[in-house]
Amino acid sequence: MSLRALFAPLAAVFLASPLLAQEVNVYSYRQPELVQPLFDAFTEKTGISVNSVFLNKGMAERLKAEGKRSPADLAFTVDIGRLSQLKAAGVLQPVHSDILDAAIPPAFRDPDGEWFGLTTRARVIFASRDRVAEGEITTYEDLASEKWRDRICIRSGTNAYNLALIAGMIEQYDMQTAKAWLTGLRDNLARKPQGNDRAQVKAISEGECDISVGNAYYMALMMKNDEQRPWAEAVRIIYPTFEAGGTHVNVSGVGLTRAAPNRDNAILLMEFLASDEGQRLYAEINSETPISPRASATRGGFTADDANLQTLADLRPDALRLVEEVDFDR
Ligand code: FE
């Protein structure tokens, strides 16, 4: 009797055994406290435990180096740039799930099924309550209007959030129009791009500028912070749209790794995160917006632009080129 014949029945017994650990292993760029409550809820529901490793950087390199032996099943991250980098590195595999496809609009998942958005992160305008009237700015195009000369604060043009927004503008129009817009925005800056999204709101509260561009969830984060609450209280959030589109959003998302030793359980976790319960939990913990229209409708708010985010990721090098051409950070 061959060794294989000897072990095959044993393997079958192990697979069928309820004693065998049911688990999913996660590599995450998201802070543990932002994802752990979700994993706990999943474990409670299914009995499948979730082990997560928090990484600061190098996820694609690590998955590549581990190859087929990688213990990781799922890669969690924010930003379309990072999701598409994982895809480009070849460390993900396609998932075809009717549940995921039904919950997540096509714009917010990879057309090849290698990554799925789980929450949206709107890039919005923060406007001074004192110096900007209601309805005075409603579109991203307006940011280039002369009326805002020397009144806008924004972080570096090379920042991932801004690159995605600029890619969104290219997608709406073309390189030439996007360049004219970016030039207009640059000419409206009250100061050289610097600091993070929250630093721009601080600058508004100190009178240095009147509007800024930032991610919406920072409003909630600032309100939870004693030092930053006065900054947040000085501004109002405006959900701008493209003139012929919706509000620009980025996503947090997930992909199934190429190795995925616990593939079936991992897909169950993905599907849980796309369910109404998972969506509500995820968005609440992160002050983001559910990606499933059914879940986000209950939170009200805004209409996300429907440009496919993989398209925006592909336009990222063009966006970076524009930032350099107009010397945005001068
Ligand atoms: Fe952020």
Side-chain angles (χ1 to χ4, degrees):
M1 192 186 239
S2 76
L3 269 181
R4 178 178 297 240
L6 191 69
F7 282 108
L10 260 183
V13 168
F14 271 109
L15 283 174
S17 165
L19 294 174
L20 195 72
Q22 294 284 324
E23 59 179 15
V24 179
N25 299 320
V26 168
Y27 283 177
S28 173
Y29 276 140
R30 303 216 82 172
Q31 303 282 346
E33 66 270 21
L34 298 184
V35 284
Q36 196 55 50
L38 290 162
F39 299 158
D40 292 345
F42 173 73
T43 301
E44 196 170 313
K45 230 184 165 73
T46 61
I48 301 167
S49 55
V50 182
N51 313 304
S52 64
V53 176
F54 171 70
L55 302 176
N56 259 322
K57 54 177 187 199
M59 193 188 294
E61 293 76 5
R62 180 162 169 174
L63 286 167
K64 240 181 168 158
E66 291 171 347
K68 273 189 261 183
R69 277 178 215 83
S70 177
D73 298 295
L74 294 175
F76 272 74
T77 185
V78 295
D79 189 62
I80 177 58
R82 280 179 149 176
L83 287 164
S84 63
Q85 275 160 19
L86 289 170
K87 181 188 178 188
V91 296
L92 302 178
Q93 61 170 302
V95 172
H96 301 288
S97 152
D98 291 344
I99 293 177
L100 291 177
D101 290 354
I104 304 171
F108 307 134
R109 49 183 157 87
D110 176 37
D112 301 323
E114 295 203 25
W115 58 259
F116 294 81
L118 293 172
T119 55
T120 59
R121 300 149 62 88
R123 194 137 184 84
V124 301
I125 290 173
F126 294 97
S128 163
R129 286 186 178 277
D130 299 336
R131 301 183 296 278
V132 179
E134 205 94 45
E136 236 189 304
I137 182 160
T138 56
T139 68
Y140 296 106
E141 286 86 342
D142 281 347
L143 289 166
S145 146
E146 245 177 75
K147 83 176 266 196
W148 301 108
R149 188 61 45 95
D150 297 327
R151 296 174 70 188
I152 302 179
C153 283
I154 195 168
R155 73 195 301 171
S156 167
T158 62
N159 169 264
Y161 302 154
N162 281 340
L163 287 176
L165 174 60
I166 297 162
M169 193 58 82
I170 298 171
E171 197 275 340
Q172 296 282 323
Y173 298 96
D174 51 48
M175 280 294 270
Q176 202 185 346
T177 310
K179 185 174 180 176
W181 171 77
L182 196 62
T183 305
L185 171 55
R186 179 205 68 194
D187 289 342
N188 286 343
L189 298 184
R191 60 176 190 178
K192 185 179 155 65
Q194 59 197 272
N196 57 20
D197 280 355
R198 282 183 260 200
Q200 318 310 319
V201 177
K202 177 172 189 254
I204 295 175
S205 77
E206 290 167 347
E208 212 176 331
C209 32
D210 295 339
I211 58 178
S212 74
V213 178
N215 286 357
Y217 56 82
Y218 285 118
M219 190 68 164
L221 295 184
M222 289 185 289
M223 290 303 283
K224 285 182 200 152
N225 179 304
D226 285 341
E227 186 201 350
Q228 298 170 1
R229 193 173 311 113
W231 311 348
E233 285 170 348
V235 299
R236 178 158 29 80
I237 277 199
I238 294 158
Y239 286 86
T241 63
F242 292 108
E243 270 167 23
T247 298
H248 169 73
V249 299
N250 208 312
V251 291
S252 78
V254 66
L256 184 69
T257 68
R258 181 148 260 188
N262 306 288
R263 186 174 189 279
D264 293 350
N265 288 344
I267 293 173
L268 282 179
L269 176 53
M270 294 169 84
E271 290 173 345
F272 170 72
L273 294 171
S275 72
D276 286 1
E277 183 189 354
Q279 284 282 292
R280 199 170 50 242
L281 257 176
Y282 204 164
E284 256 164 37
I285 296 163
N286 291 280
S287 306
E288 296 168 346
T289 310
I291 212 155
S292 132
R294 198 170 48 199
S296 69
T298 64
R299 284 172 63 99
F302 62 94
T303 305
D305 192 67
D306 61 3
N308 189 280
L309 292 185
Q310 182 61 47
T311 307
L312 299 201
D314 295 339
L315 287 169
R316 186 187 158 103
D318 286 342
L320 187 57
R321 206 174 89 212
L322 288 188
V323 168
E324 283 161 1
E325 277 179 16
V326 310
D327 197 10
F328 191 79
D329 288 357
R330 70 182 177 185

